[in-house]
Amino acid sequence: MSASLNAAVATTATTATATVDPACAEPLAVLGRDVTVPLVTGGEVTYAALDYAASAPALQRVWDDVAAYAPYYGSVHRGAGYLSQLSTDLFEQSRVTVAEFLDCRPTDQVVFTRSTTDSLNLLAAVLPADCQVFVFETEHHASLLPWVDAHVTYLNAPRTPAEAVATLEGALADRDPHGPALVCVTGASNVTGELWPVKELAAAAHAHGARIVLDAAQLAPHHPVSVQELDVDWVAFSGHKLYAPFGSGVLAGRADWLQQAQPYLAGGGASRKVARREDGGVDVEWHTTAARHEAGSPNVIGVYSIASACKALTEAGFDHLVARERHLIAKVREGLAEVPAVRILSLFGDDAPRVGVISFVVDGWNSSHFAAALSAEYGIGVRDGLFCAHPLVRTLLGSEPQAQGECGAPEAAPGERSLNAIRVSFGAGTPDEHVERFVRAVKELVADGAKWQYRTEEGRCVPAV
């Protein structure tokens, strides 16, 4: 933005990046940190939001930036008025900010979408004809399912990072070497939190003439993501997991497949010129920029919130954020290790590097019952179910592939065994007290049982009234 436009919506300043002991460091300020919730046992408690992997709370910095811009909100790209020009400038500057956050190549495009799911469906829609797609069964459904119109090879869950690379190399070696190919892989599992060997997988893909897209939905909020360092062709992520609400996402990467395909959505914004033909039809010239796949009025507030979050995380310093998160991960894992009834789910083993996402089961407990008790009796919000990664969770639980179950909707009643798990997840806004309360609650529930009665209602376990 120009200096005058920057001044119009300027808000807060920079966060210090000095070296701090992670045990003493303050979490980043997020909305909802002071919200209190009622307990079924009486009284209220400050809510412990430990479901970051689903949707992270908005950073206060993001909220302040959006609030400062909101009075200047206007239509984008085609308005002559001052607010339209300001909004257009802010929208396009947000594209630059995201490209810098991801360390994109100069020729890459940043396309704004609704979510990671939308981004990967967009990429699936622009694949060249006869494209072969290779995807591990361990992926979130957002990156497992969009490739229905391509020839898909589903790869078995690896048990080490080296096995993941070897499995991919073997599958790529057997493919038709003359056609296009794409590998889709997560950067950090939304079930186990484990980091995947993205750079090595990218090298394997490129060695066999394939391209690779990184699902960074769980990686980008926790670790720096460099398109150039990892050498991936595309990156997809969601704003709502990056502390930026309002329903926006990003697909960033190589422009050629995007430019060569028909627009993801046909309509205003995607079209550069439309003219009637003598036969009564229309001729359309589509944009070759990112606008080609951004038809309709864009979500300016959502896009700006992503850019604000990118700036806030960069200014806070990922070295600092990663160190603090490792401190929290150690607290949770060490606390759960003291409870013999708890089994943490893992593909790569205890020593694998990971982000703040941990899934587990408790012997003798239905997972929905356990999560309901954490919420109702301790004010702790976690997630239970299959986390929209059914094949992976089934593999980790050792159940049959055909076993039934809905995403986050266990069917078993309290006290019955469930083929589901419990997930606790946290990040830059999580105070130590939240994870400490969580560990205490797990120990108390396992030792003493729930203090309240629960029942199944519409597939969910809820407190009985």
Side-chain angles (χ1 to χ4, degrees):
M1 285 188 293
S2 67
S4 61
L5 298 185
N6 265 319
V9 297
T11 56
T12 53
T14 307
T15 304
T17 58
T19 301
V20 180
D21 180 353
C24 303
E26 289 294 320
L28 298 188
V30 295
L31 296 185
R33 58 191 180 277
D34 298 323
V35 168
T36 59
V37 294
L39 302 180
V40 293
T41 51
E44 293 187 342
V45 67
T46 303
Y47 183 65
L50 297 179
D51 194 15
Y52 275 47
S55 283
L59 286 172
Q60 185 68 54
R61 157 74 177 272
V62 171
W63 195 258
D64 291 344
D65 282 350
V66 167
Y69 162 64
Y72 299 90
Y73 170 80
S75 61
V76 174
H77 291 145
R78 291 169 294 281
Y82 178 83
L83 298 191
S84 291
Q85 293 181 50
L86 185 149
S87 294
T88 298
D89 207 2
L90 182 137
F91 184 81
E92 293 303 331
Q93 184 57 46
S94 295
R95 205 186 301 277
V96 174
T97 298
V98 171
E100 292 173 348
F101 179 74
L102 295 173
D103 189 28
C104 288
R105 297 167 288 257
T107 55
D108 285 342
Q109 285 187 347
V110 173
V111 181
F112 289 118
T113 66
R114 295 176 296 178
S115 60
T116 307
T117 302
D118 196 32
S119 296
L120 293 170
N121 275 270
L122 163 57
L123 186 59
V126 306
L127 293 181
D130 301 321
C131 188
Q132 301 172 77
V133 176
F134 297 83
V135 57
F136 286 93
E137 67 171 349
T138 47
E139 293 292 309
H140 186 281
H141 294 171
S143 47
L144 186 74
L145 303 180
W147 321 105
V148 291
D149 293 328
H151 174 66
V152 187
T153 298
Y154 296 104
L155 307 175
N156 291 336
R159 286 299 182 168
T160 66
E163 185 182 338
V165 177
T167 297
L168 178 62
E169 287 180 331
L172 290 172
D174 292 337
R175 82 175 187 91
D176 177 359
H178 302 294
L182 177 71
V183 176
C184 181
V185 67
T186 188
S189 171
N190 79 302
V191 176
T192 68
E194 293 164 315
L195 299 178
W196 277 62
V198 177
K199 188 172 183 177
E200 292 79 4
L201 291 168
H206 293 152
H208 291 275
R211 298 190 182 190
I212 185 167
V213 57
L214 169 63
D215 175 354
Q218 300 295 341
L219 182 63
H222 303 274
H223 282 260
V225 175
S226 169
V227 168
Q228 297 191 72
E229 174 66 22
L230 295 173
D231 197 21
V232 294
D233 298 280
W234 292 277
V235 171
F237 70 88
S238 295
H240 72 99
K241 298 185 192 300
L242 196 78
Y243 312 98
F246 307 113
S248 280
V250 168
L251 177 67
R254 300 196 180 278
D256 54 350
W257 285 6
L258 294 167
Q259 292 174 345
Q260 294 161 9
Q262 289 296 303
Y264 184 45
L265 297 173
S271 55
R272 184 175 178 273
K273 183 167 57 177
V274 180
R276 288 292 301 272
R277 297 195 305 263
E278 290 184 1
D279 64 5
V282 294
D283 288 320
V284 184
E285 180 181 331
W286 303 105
H287 280 295
T288 58
T289 63
R292 185 183 189 89
H293 299 291
E294 293 176 345
S297 296
N299 182 356
V300 186
I301 295 236
V303 165
Y304 182 43
S305 73
I306 288 179
S308 174
C310 290
K311 289 181 179 179
L313 293 175
T314 300
E315 291 169 3
F318 270 106
D319 287 347
H320 161 77
L321 297 175
V322 169
R324 188 171 190 288
E325 186 169 306
R326 286 174 178 163
H327 161 74
L328 296 178
I329 292 170
K331 272 182 175 286
V332 173
R333 289 181 60 84
E334 289 167 7
L336 294 181
E338 296 173 357
V339 187
V342 169
R343 176 167 70 94
I344 295 177
L345 304 183
S346 175
L347 273 175
F348 299 154
D350 290 342
D351 296 331
R354 66 194 72 229
V355 299
V357 178
I358 299 169
S359 295
F360 62 98
V361 291
V362 183
D363 290 345
W365 281 84
N366 166 275
S367 294
S368 180
H369 185 197
F370 200 89
L374 286 173
S375 174
E377 300 178 26
Y378 296 92
I380 299 170
V382 298
R383 181 149 299 222
D384 63 287
L386 299 173
F387 319 124
C388 292
H390 294 190
L392 171 57
V393 179
R394 295 303 191 201
T395 295
L396 295 172
L397 292 177
S399 62
E400 295 298 321
Q402 67 270 22
Q404 296 297 311
E406 297 180 15
C407 196
E411 296 176 354
E416 295 180 1
R417 178 176 181 267
S418 61
L419 294 174
N420 302 279
I422 305 148
R423 183 181 72 191
V424 56
S425 54
F426 40 87
T430 305
D432 283 46
E433 188 277 329
H434 286 186
V435 299
E436 291 165 357
R437 192 198 318 171
F438 165 76
V439 170
R440 287 197 305 272
V442 170
K443 292 179 177 179
E444 288 180 12
L445 286 171
V446 171
D448 305 327
K451 300 181 181 68
W452 204 260
Q453 293 296 312
Y454 295 82
R455 60 187 174 83
T456 300
E457 182 178 292
E458 297 182 354
R460 301 295 304 167
C461 190
V462 297
V465 294

